[in-house]
């Protein structure tokens, strides 16, 4: 196929915009899709608006379906993804890549894992050739709560000896772009180079940022209390607690091999993230 047309949904979002940029080498016709498309290029794509999908998916060869951030209303995200998959099928789109999460079917601690299980199933049932990107948690997620932990000096954790291989969002975007270019079907675990314990992450913070952290193992209830005391946003706390429960259960222990293959180099280590964001992280420490 000559220059396939690739539409990226959620193109104004953090991941979607990076994927559009990563695809920009001219080998494909790249079309940003968003509820708020740029005026001169891009198509309006709103999973809640069937007409936008009918018009927006017309003539598209490959699609990146970026999972929405609609977590407040139970069932809403699954409904949005169903609308997108049905519209993709009707439009004759030949390949869909989807941003899922690690081990969705065996991660009950993650309150939105069921959306990903359902979406992966809908894609399988659609019979559209599909690439499932099981994106690990982004390094950038740490920006929302690490400054509070640094300011407090104590890292309360419910993760025990469980490990998590945070991945740079940029690497996840490059992996998505690579998959869209190859249209390879399958399931792809996207992870950083090293699954780390909280103790190891705390040591990295001390090494790179020069801020010592005392790691204190607690249960999930105490973790939520301590995060609130440290000033972490109330909306963020259930996410951190669920993440650590899942980490404790070993559900994030994923190696970097697939990511390395897709992006053509080792994924960026957490040390690089801490170095690159050192100023921003320390500016947020109050
Ligand atoms: N692995 C991780 O650590 C992690 C972290 C955060 C989020 N996520 C998941 O990955 C997705 C992308 O992450 P991100 O960092 O780019 O988050 P983000 O910047 O918050 O992006 C949210 C995305 O949801 C899209 N969206 C919301 N409502 C939509 C609708 N009705 N129809 C179509 N698209 C809709 C938005 O698209 P437009 O505004 O362009 O329409 C936007 O791209 C998130 O939505 C979430 O499912 C994963």
């Amino acid at each position: 196929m000559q220059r396939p047309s690739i539409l990226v949904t959620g193109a104004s979002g953090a991941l979607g915009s990076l994927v559009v940029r990563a695809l920009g080498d001219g080998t494909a016709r790249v079309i940003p899709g968003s509820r708020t498309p740029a005026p001169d290029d891009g198509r309006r794509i709103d999973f809640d608006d069937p007409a936008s999908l009918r018009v927006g998916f017309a003539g598209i060869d490959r699609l990146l379906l970026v999972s929405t951030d609609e977590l407040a209303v139970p069932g809403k995200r699954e409904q949005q993804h169903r609308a997108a998959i049905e519209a993709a099928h009707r439009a004759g789109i030949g390949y869909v890549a989807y941003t899922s999460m690690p081990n969705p079917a065996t991660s009950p601690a993650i309150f939105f894992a069921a959306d990903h299980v359902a979406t992966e199933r809908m894609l399988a049932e659609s019979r559209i050739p599909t690439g499932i990107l099981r994106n690990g948690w982004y390094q950038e997620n740490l920006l929302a709560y690490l400054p509070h932990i640094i300011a407090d000096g104590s890292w309360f954790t419910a993760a025990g000896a469980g490990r998590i291989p945070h991945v740079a969002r940029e690497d996840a975007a490059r992996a998505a772009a690579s998959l869209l270019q190859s249209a390879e079907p399958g399931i792809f675990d996207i992870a950083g180079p090293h699954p780390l314990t909280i103790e190891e992450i705390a040591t990295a913070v001390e090494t790179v940022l020069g801020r010592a952290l005392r790691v204190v193992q607690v249960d999930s209830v105490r973790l939520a209390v301590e995060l609130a005391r440290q000033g972490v946003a109330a909306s963020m706390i259930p996410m951190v607690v669920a993440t650590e429960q899942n980490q404790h259960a070993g559900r994030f222990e994923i190696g970097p091999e697939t990511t390395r293959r897709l992006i053509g180099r080792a994924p960026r280590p957490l040390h690089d993230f801490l170095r690159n964001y050192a100023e921003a992280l320390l500016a947020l420490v109050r």
Side-chain angles (χ1 to χ4, degrees):
M1 180 187 291
Q2 302 265 319
R3 277 192 102 227
S5 55
I6 300 178
L7 187 136
V8 176
T9 76
S12 78
L15 181 75
S17 54
L18 289 172
V19 176
V20 169
R21 199 179 319 150
L23 280 168
D25 67 357
T27 52
R29 188 175 153 243
V30 184
I31 299 146
S34 174
R35 290 166 301 169
T36 51
D40 47 349
D41 77 328
R43 296 185 184 180
R44 202 176 83 77
I45 297 292
D46 181 345
F47 299 161
D48 295 326
D49 175 1
S52 77
L53 302 180
R54 203 171 45 249
V55 176
F57 286 174
I60 297 300
D61 299 311
R62 301 176 192 171
L63 174 72
L64 176 64
L65 198 177
V66 172
S67 51
T68 75
D69 54 0
E70 192 71 64
L71 300 177
V73 182
K76 178 79 190 283
R77 190 157 74 146
E78 182 180 335
Q79 188 187 318
Q80 291 176 323
H81 295 172
R82 173 176 290 110
I85 293 164
E86 287 177 357
H89 187 259
R90 277 195 295 273
I93 288 176
Y95 179 80
V96 176
Y98 169 67
T99 57
S100 185
M101 61 164 277
N103 296 314
T106 52
S107 295
I110 304 296
F111 48 91
F112 51 81
D115 295 341
H116 290 303
V117 173
T119 305
E120 289 191 10
R121 193 183 53 241
M122 290 186 278
L123 281 166
E125 288 169 0
S126 77
R127 305 209 174 268
I128 304 172
T130 299
I132 304 291
L133 288 150
R134 289 195 170 158
N135 286 352
W137 270 211
Y138 305 139
Q139 293 167 351
E140 288 79 358
N141 295 356
L142 292 167
L143 293 167
Y145 58 100
L146 187 53
H148 299 272
I149 292 170
I150 295 172
D152 190 52
S154 293
W155 194 328
F156 294 89
T157 175
R163 293 170 181 277
I164 185 163
H166 286 105
V167 62
R169 194 191 263 116
E170 172 79 38
D171 286 346
R174 284 175 183 271
S178 158
L179 203 57
L180 288 160
Q181 275 158 341
S182 67
E184 183 182 348
I187 293 177
F188 303 85
D189 286 327
I190 304 304
H194 312 291
L196 300 173
T197 63
I198 295 296
E199 272 90 354
E200 289 166 340
I201 298 174
T203 301
V205 169
E206 185 167 352
T207 306
V208 178
L209 302 181
R211 302 294 290 255
L213 290 172
R214 179 179 69 107
V215 174
V216 187
Q217 297 287 343
V218 293
D219 64 20
S220 296
V221 175
R222 171 96 187 274
L223 174 59
V225 170
E226 296 294 348
L227 290 168
R229 181 188 60 73
Q230 290 173 330
V232 174
S235 59
M236 192 67 204
I237 292 174
M239 182 73 84
V240 178
V241 172
T243 295
E244 298 218 347
Q245 287 172 329
N246 211 48
Q247 186 174 339
H248 188 274
R251 299 302 182 200
F252 285 123
E253 290 191 16
I254 289 155
E257 299 75 19
T258 304
T259 311
R260 190 186 296 129
R261 177 170 74 79
L262 287 176
I263 70 177
R265 59 161 168 75
R268 301 263 183 248
L270 192 69
H271 274 74
D272 281 13
F273 164 77
L274 293 172
R275 259 193 297 276
N276 293 341
Y277 282 88
E279 211 174 307
L281 280 165
L282 292 175
L284 288 168
V285 174
R286 272 180 266 144

